[in-house]
Every structure is written in structure tokens, then in C-alpha cells.
Amino acid sequence: MLKTTVVVIGGGATGVGILRDLSMRGVDAILVERDDLGYWTSSRFHGLLHSGGRYAVKDKEAAKECIQENTILRKIGRHCVEATESIFVRAPEDSEEFEQEWVKSCAECGISAVPISMDEAFKLEPNLSRKLLSAYRCPGAAVDGFRLLWQTVASANKYGGKAMTYKEVIGIETENGTVVGVKIRDRWTGAEEKISCDFVISASGSFAGEVAHLAGLSVNVKPSKGTLIAFNHRICNRVVHRLHKSSDADIFVPHGSITILGTSSIDSAPDDTSTETAEVMAMMEIGKITFENIYDYRILRVFAGTRPLYSADPNAKGRSASRGFVALDHAHDGINHFMSVCGGKFTTYRLMAEKVCDIVCEQLGVNAKCHTAEENLVDDPSPDLISRAKAVFPSYGAELASSRLGNEKLERVIKRIETQPEMKELVCECENVTLAEIEEVASEPTSHTVSDLRRRTRLGMGTCQGTFCAYRSVGAVNKENMPWAKDSVYLFKEFLETRWKGIRPVLWGNMLRDIELTRAIYDAALNLSGVEEIK
Amino acid sequence: MAINKQHAIDPDKCTACTICITACPVTAATRKFRGPKMTGPALTRLRKLVSDDDPMLDYCSNCKTCDLVCPSGVPISTLNMIAKNEYYKTHPRKSKADDMLAHSEKMGKLITALPLGSTFANLGMSVGKSFGVMGAMGIAQDAKMPSYASESFISKFKKIKQTPYPRKVVFFSGCYINYNQPEVGTDLVKVYQKNKIEVAIDENFVCCGSPMVSGGYIDDARVNASKNTALLKSWVDRGYDIVTACTSCGLMLKQEYQELFDFEGMAEYAAHMYDSIEYLAKLHDDGQFDTDFANDNTKYIYHAPCHLKVQAIGRPSMELLPMIPGIDIEEADVGCCGISGSYGFKADKHEIAMKVGSKLFNRIKNSHAKLGVCECGTCRLQMENGSGVKAIHPLTVLRQAYGL
């Protein structure tokens, strides 16, 4: 039986932030996640590190927190953040009074908003609609959700914190009104085990109600689904916001090699990740106001996730519900040492963790202060390591791989290529992922599917959406005899189905031509639909 | 007005199908080049995100075979050329020869302006070679360089007395014909006069820019494109058609300008642009092509230049030349000759170019043809260099058959 002080339920941004914070304060902690890290809400978003500008008018407190955390994350999470800056643009449809109020509010919140001429704006972002009226430069940025989560866990690992994926919590055990442990089930083996602990923190986002239910409690989360559209290339190099009262489809984020437009806001079930074509069409029409040639850009896929909006008022809905977070101490409901954390924003994940851990530590009698803002998540690669990487990686590969992998993993990958030069061959040509990287990540105990490799490397997330890297990666993990890679048919289907899920609602134009090629390879040539999985 | 063409040249049309890699002659010849898909659309996405050393860029020869085979209409080679142009703004060039080869017009002007300039230049090149000067410049030691003519085409043209006809064309000779092989230009005038066409030239035309684009000097090419576009448009406005006898000039003026730049009038004049043989084939379609040929019992082998193929105008030479009585002509049909304008002259590319062309060289040798035929000047040079068989322009074959 495992034993720890705190069990954190949920491997999203909030959970990993809490795991790292506790570990750095010297509190024993284990995080359990039902799926892969960042499988749900923490990757199903824009990949936007807010400047706070979006909240400046409506919620100054949130805006101030955003700019403060933005500044911290640019430093401690520099390998996950691309400091693109952001531009707020006002369209003819948007109110001029709001612009004035916004400028005033940004100043009050300490958010730099530098007005620029439209000529300057078009020079910086040539694809912006020529109908736009005014523009401001703000310190927004792009952030990679998957990477931030894994690097936060890597940082927690250094202090003894552990994260376990594919472990579903099936029971919360109490004795005399106090939590004594949780019961978990391995999603792959079905094996059940108990972790005894002194404290449980549920950071399960939209699923907070379901987790609380395991202890016989209720938590009122209103999941609100947002759909995002991924375009095939960077149509802008800065985050572009509409300068108006926050609304649907008004933010574009250049995210790695792609651009993400979002989002919608629809009341939904916690696990709803579906998208209707009509939703996409509505978002495109709004997006057209910012980028007038939007229909020329190829949509790669769509994805959706739910915001875990908490409301004490059961009737509050969508964007009007609070975006702030709450830490519910269930002692008030009769169970001690059990807390649910709901709501919040990705940008402020560190601050939320700090506040939660302050409360938890007080209850546990721990005096250690929070140090999470002071230490980088992962070490910077040394100049020597960078030059070794440059020597072995294909062009454009060294920098991308070093921010993806972090120092230690990068060194192991470089060694693989140094000893076997053919390991530098690209498995994923669209996102520049080498065979060495695939084999390194595949050998980690947290990998169980090709989608797991995808979330850690960006394999299959580019133009061809898995058409060429699917058979290459399945071949690679088969050859390495990974214990999880016995059933090739399952590996293919699992990986390709997740790709196709995001493509089906936008199956037109170039993507339709692309997917016909995929179908020719996997359905016609390999007859994947005609063979059974082993399991 | 130069506006942003960014969205017109984006990588979105590529479905990553990989056909271009299977067709690319350079990829087949060297592992140093990872192919058009990677260098073009795939890395175009990443170049918007990170910068890095990119030695592969230099290996694309801009032969445009990838564009020809692409089922999705991606201007792959143009994406490569744009990337190369951007790349060399921040990276040092590997070879001093780049500048010279890209700006061949400058060299041509200089040499032909001097009395006996061509004699000394041609001599200088062979002497320079034997002393290793060319090697130091980055020019391949064993590459056969084009020699300069003692009198430019423009100078020769002015001495020709033409019969005026209502059908008029303006001939864009290009640098190679003007400075290196003016006889191709004079052959054009003779053949066109025979077909009742009056030929004009324009001394204000400048280099089409093709070698500049291939060398990564797109900004220089833009200046030339601006000048040429205005001139070509004005000739078309006056009722002239435009012809070229160099397929690279033709492709540049007709298609690549529109992929790279946005000057007023490009599409308008391009609708009136023809390859010199294509123009005659069009006359033939209208029943106006003069077939009053003498016998020619020579055995020829015809090589279609890549830059002709990508224009999608078929093989006009293989329509017209077989009409000559007694002629024995076959098409080589084995792909790129390898030279790609100035690519094969570069020291680090010469071996690749010869490897690419090896199929063609063997095909020519095995055909036992007496002469090669090809519209492109540097292809002809490469054919001769690789096979030992002299190659001539199809206009020359026609001129001889007309007994002119």
C-alpha cells in the first residue's frame, strides 16, 4: 500500500501546480490522474498566456493576477512560453467607449497597452483585416499546455513529488469524518490499490462534482464547452484579441507551428469534447472580422474542452459565471482534510496552487513558505548541450526539441543520435520529431499509447495529422518491444481515431483531400477497419 | 503596387503526399537534400516559428519538377526560393560564385562592352581554371562554362533588315542569347520572317531575374521584374505578342513573377506570352505555319527542359520538327539534365548536377544521334558536356530546314 501525506486528484494545470508547490514545501504528495496529464481542460484551450487585458474592464482582480503570473511564467516556464506579445484590435463593430474604458483599466491594472498606428499593426501582422480601426501592443504570450504540465511535474519530481497517470480514483476513504486514503484503479491492468494519506485535494476541474460524489458530497460545477479551431500555419506571429467585451471566437493564438482560434461557450457535460460543424461556421464568420482572408487558411482540425466554472448559484451560466477559482474546504460538509478546487484560469495556475497550499499547509501544521515563483521548472540546456544538439538534429530540430524535452531528456536523446546517427531520421516531418525522441519518450513508464507520445512531442499534430507518422511511430515502438506496444491494430486505431475526431467536423477543402490520402493508406492499403484488435 | 502576397504562397495546399520527393532529381542524387516537401511546405511552417542553420536550402536547383508533379498546386520551388532569399539575409553565403552566377547580365554587359572582351573572357576562364582561380571563386573546376560571343544579339539584330508584316512580336532575348549565343536570336528572326512575322526587340529589357531568384536574390529580381513588367505590358497594349527562346526566361516572365511579386499588368501581358516554338505551333494550328522545308536526314534527340514542362504547353518542338522531311527525331524523356541554370556550375553542386544528368547523357550516347535539340541554353551546354554530342536550339533546326 502506498502512503503519502497529500493525494492530489487530477492531472490538469491546477493539480500539477499543487503537486509542485507541496513538494517544494517538503510535503509528501502523490498526484493521480485518470487519463494522461493534460488530457482534458488544460490542453483544450487556446494555449494563451493572458496579459490580463481581456479581463481588465470586467474583473480587475483577475486582470492583475494575470499580469503578475504572466511575468512569473515567462521566467520559470520559459521553455513552455513563447513570448509573442499580443495585439488588441478594435473593429468597426466594436464600441469606441469600451476602448477608452479598456485603456484606463489596463493602466489601473499595470498592464502595458501601447497604442500603435494601423500601418504599424499591418506591418507587424500583415494578414489583419484592413477594416480594423485601432491597435494596442500588450504582453500576452503563447503557452504549451502539455509541456507546462510535464515540466511542472518534472520540477515536483526533484522534490519527491510523484504523478501517476491512468489511475482512476474509485473511492475516498474516511475514518471518523476525516480522510484516510483513496482507492485507485489502474486503467490498463484493472489492478486496484489504496493510497493512505492525511489529506485529499480534488483538482478535477469539470469532474469535481463526480469526485466529490465519491465522498458523498456535491460540488456545483457548471462545465461550459469551448470549441477551438486549429489552422495549419501561423497566420499571425502575435496573439490577436478583439478589443471589445469578451465574446466568442475573438482570440487568435500563434501556437508553435499552428494558429488557434477560439472559442465558443456552450453549457455542457464535463466530458463533452464534441464539435458541430455549425459551431465552426459561426466562429469563422466572427474570426473573419479580425482576419479577412480567414476562409483561405486551411483548418487542420477542431478540438473542444470544458471550462470548469464554479458557481454557488446553481443558475449561473457560461461566461457570466465566475472565472475566479474557489477552494472548498469540505470540513464544512462534515469531512475533514478534503478540499475541492474549482474554476480558475490556466495563466494563474501557479498562484491558485500557492493559495490552496497555504490553506492545506496551515491545516497540516507545515510552516514552509511557497517558493514556486522563484525556481525555473526545468534547467536551461547548457551551451555545450545546445551545440551538441545542433550537431545531431536536423535543421530547425535542435531548438524545438530542447524546449520540448527539457535538459535531462534532451541529453539522453542526443546520446541516442550520437551513438546511432540514423536515429535523427524524422518520424514526424510536419513537426520535426526525430526517431530518437520517439524511442526516448516511448520508453518512459507513463507512455501507453501513441497519443501519449503525441502529447509529449507534437507527433502527428501538423499538416498531415498522422498520415505518415502513424505507421512510422507504431513501427518504431514495435521494434523497440515496448511492453505496451503489442497490439499494433489498437495503436493505429487509437491514434488515428483521435486525429479523425477533430477532423470530421471540418472535412472540406484541403483537409478532405488530405484525409482521403490517409484513408487510402490505412483503410485501403492496410485494411485497418477490417481487422480486429487483440484486446 | 507591391502588396502582401503571403497568403497566396502559404503552405496550406500541401497534403504531404510525398509525390514531389519521388520525382525530385536532386533528392535522388544526394542525401544532402531531404526533398521538396520538407524544404518547401513543411519547413515553411516551422520557419515562421524558429530560425536555424538550413544547409538544405541551397540544394534545391529550382528545376520545378516538384511543381510539375504536385497534384495540389503548391508552388513548392517558389516556397524554397523565398526561404533561400530570407535565409541569406542573415546567413553568410557559402560560395563567392553565387553573386556572379546570379547576376550574369552584369558580367555579360561588362565583357561585350570591351573591345575583344569576349576573347579575353573566354581565355580568362580557361586560364583561370588551370590556375585554380575558378575553384577559389566557387565555380566547379570541370564544369564547362558558357563562352561569350564577340558581338551581342542586340548589336546583330540592329543590322538585320526585316520585311514589315502586320503580325508583330517583341522578342525577349534574355541574357544567354544576347551575350552567349546570339545566333539563336538571329535564327529566330529568320524563321519568323519566313513565317511573315515582324520581330521587334526592346533594348530596355533587363535580365528576367531567373538566376537571381535561384541564387536567393529575390530582392534584386523584384527590381528587374518591375522594369520588365511595365515594358512588356506596354508592348502588349500596342498589339504585340511576346516570345522568348529561353524557357527559363519564359517561365519567369509568365509564371514566377506572379508567384513572387504583385505588379500591375503581369497577368495581362502573360496572356500574350509564348515560347518561340509554341508560337509557331499556334500558327500551325491556324494553318499559317510555313512548311516549305528542304530535306534534313539528320538523326536528332530532343530533350524537353524542365522549365518548358512546367509551363504546361506540351512539346511544341516535337509537333513541328517531325514535319521536316527525312528528319529522324526522338524525345529523350528521361528527366532533368541537372544543370538548372547556374546550379551545376557551382563547385559543391557540379557532381550532383552530373549525377542528375547521367540518365540523359547515357540516353543521348546510346541514341547515336548526331545532334541534341533543346530550347534551353544551359541544358544544351550540359548535354554537350555530359554526352559529347553537340546540342542546338529547335529554331536552328528550322532555319536550316528552310535553307536560310
Side-chain angles (χ1 to χ4, degrees), chain A residues 82 126-127 232-234 237 256-258 293 296-298 390 394-397 399-400 425-426 429-432 462-464 468 510 513-514 517, chain B residues 4 6-7 10-18 21 31 34 37-38 42-43 45-57 71-72 87:
Chain A
E82 196 197 337
N127 294 328
N232 179 46
H233 73 276
R234 279 168 88 108
N237 281 310
S257 55
I258 63 171
N293 296 317
D296 291 349
Y297 309 130
R298 168 165 166 191
K390 289 227 173 218
S395 294
Y396 306 96
E399 196 184 321
L400 293 172
E425 287 303 322
L426 294 172
E429 289 164 278
C430 306
E431 294 293 319
N432 224 322
T463 304
C464 82
F468 289 91
N510 285 313
R513 303 179 68 246
D514 210 323
L517 177 63
Chain B
N4 157 55
Q6 221 173 320
H7 77 274
D10 68 36
D12 284 0
K13 284 185 195 157
C14 176
T15 60
C17 75
T18 310
I21 298 180
R31 292 280 289 162
R34 300 179 78 100
K37 173 181 90 169
M38 191 69 200
L43 287 179
R45 295 172 70 245
L46 296 182
R47 288 186 194 107
K48 290 170 187 277
L49 168 65
V50 279
S51 62
D52 198 1
D53 289 337
D54 197 348
M56 266 200 319
L57 269 179
S72 306
Y87 184 73

Side-chain angles (χ1 to χ4, degrees), chain B residues 220-232:
Chain B
D220 295 346
R222 179 179 286 112
V223 176
N224 286 21
S226 156
K227 286 183 195 157
N228 286 334
T229 299
L231 294 170
L232 291 167

Side-chain angles (χ1 to χ4, degrees), chain B residues 246-297:
Chain B
C246 164
T247 44
S248 296
C249 293
L251 180 69
M252 192 73 203
L253 300 173
K254 197 161 74 176
Q255 180 181 320
E256 290 179 277
Y257 275 9
Q258 293 187 59
E259 287 172 2
L260 289 163
F261 313 120
D262 212 341
F263 295 111
E264 206 82 38
M266 290 194 310
E268 286 92 328
Y269 82 67
H272 297 273
M273 265 210 77
Y274 301 91
D275 168 74
S276 62
I277 309 294
E278 179 197 12
Y279 194 74
L280 297 173
K282 196 170 92 86
L283 280 193
H284 177 61
D285 289 346
D286 300 339
Q288 293 175 44
F289 179 57
D290 191 329
T291 52
D292 177 22
F293 294 120
N295 260 32
D296 180 352
N297 293 318

Side-chain angles (χ1 to χ4, degrees), chain A residues 199-221:
Chain A
F199 210 107
V200 169
I201 304 172
S202 164
S204 40
S206 291
F207 301 95
E210 296 175 16
V211 171
H213 188 70
L214 294 172
L217 305 176
S218 72
V219 167
N220 193 29
V221 175

Side-chain angles (χ1 to χ4, degrees), chain B residues 380-401:
Chain B
R380 291 196 294 274
L381 199 64
Q382 175 84 341
M383 290 160 76
E384 292 175 12
N385 200 13
S387 70
V389 176
K390 190 180 158 55
I392 58 175
H393 196 285
L395 282 167
T396 307
V397 181
L398 289 175
R399 194 256 302 152
Q400 288 168 351

Side-chain angles (χ1 to χ4, degrees), chain B residues 86-161:
Chain B
E86 292 304 307
Y87 184 73
Y88 282 122
K89 285 179 181 168
T90 51
H91 291 78
R93 287 182 173 271
K94 273 205 297 203
S95 159
K96 291 175 197 140
D98 282 13
D99 183 57
M100 189 186 97
L101 292 170
H103 302 89
S104 46
E105 187 183 31
K106 247 197 309 203
M107 189 89 162
K109 263 190 188 150
L110 196 73
I111 288 163
T112 43
L114 298 169
L116 291 179
S118 61
T119 315
F120 284 115
N122 296 335
L123 189 67
M125 261 188 282
S126 52
V127 173
K129 239 179 227 178
S130 56
F131 282 95
V133 177
M134 305 303 262
M137 283 287 295
I139 305 272
Q141 294 281 354
D142 6 315
K144 183 184 171 188
M145 294 292 287
S147 54
Y148 286 93
S150 55
E151 188 182 4
S152 75
F153 166 68
I154 291 176
S155 164
K156 283 182 184 234
F157 178 86
K158 286 180 187 163
K159 297 176 190 161
I160 301 174
K161 189 101 185 65

Side-chain angles (χ1 to χ4, degrees), chain A residues 8 10-22 24-25 31 37-38 41-43 45 48-50 55 62 64-81 142-156 201 203 308 323-327 341-358 370-378:
Chain A
V8 182
T14 313
V16 298
I18 292 169
L19 178 73
R20 174 171 183 255
D21 196 312
L22 289 173
M24 288 180 76
R25 295 191 207 214
L31 180 147
L37 286 192
T41 306
S42 295
S43 67
F45 75 128
L48 168 60
L49 190 66
H50 278 285
Y55 305 109
K64 283 178 194 163
E65 285 179 2
C66 280
I67 187 64
Q68 176 198 322
E69 289 302 306
N70 172 306
T71 313
I72 292 169
L73 283 186
R74 276 163 189 264
K75 191 177 147 287
I76 67 165
R78 75 182 70 158
H79 297 291
C80 314
V81 175
V143 59
D144 188 306
F146 296 122
R147 203 175 296 170
L148 187 88
L149 265 56
W150 280 103
Q151 295 192 358
T152 301
V153 167
S155 170
I201 304 172
R323 293 288 285 125
F325 83 106
V326 287
V341 186
C342 315
K345 280 182 286 292
F346 191 95
T347 301
T348 56
Y349 93 108
R350 192 211 61 85
L351 181 66
M352 288 170 6
E354 178 178 341
K355 290 181 175 172
V356 169
C357 294
D358 282 347
C370 172
H371 293 294
T372 53
E374 292 144 34
E375 194 176 298
N376 292 351
L377 299 180
V378 293

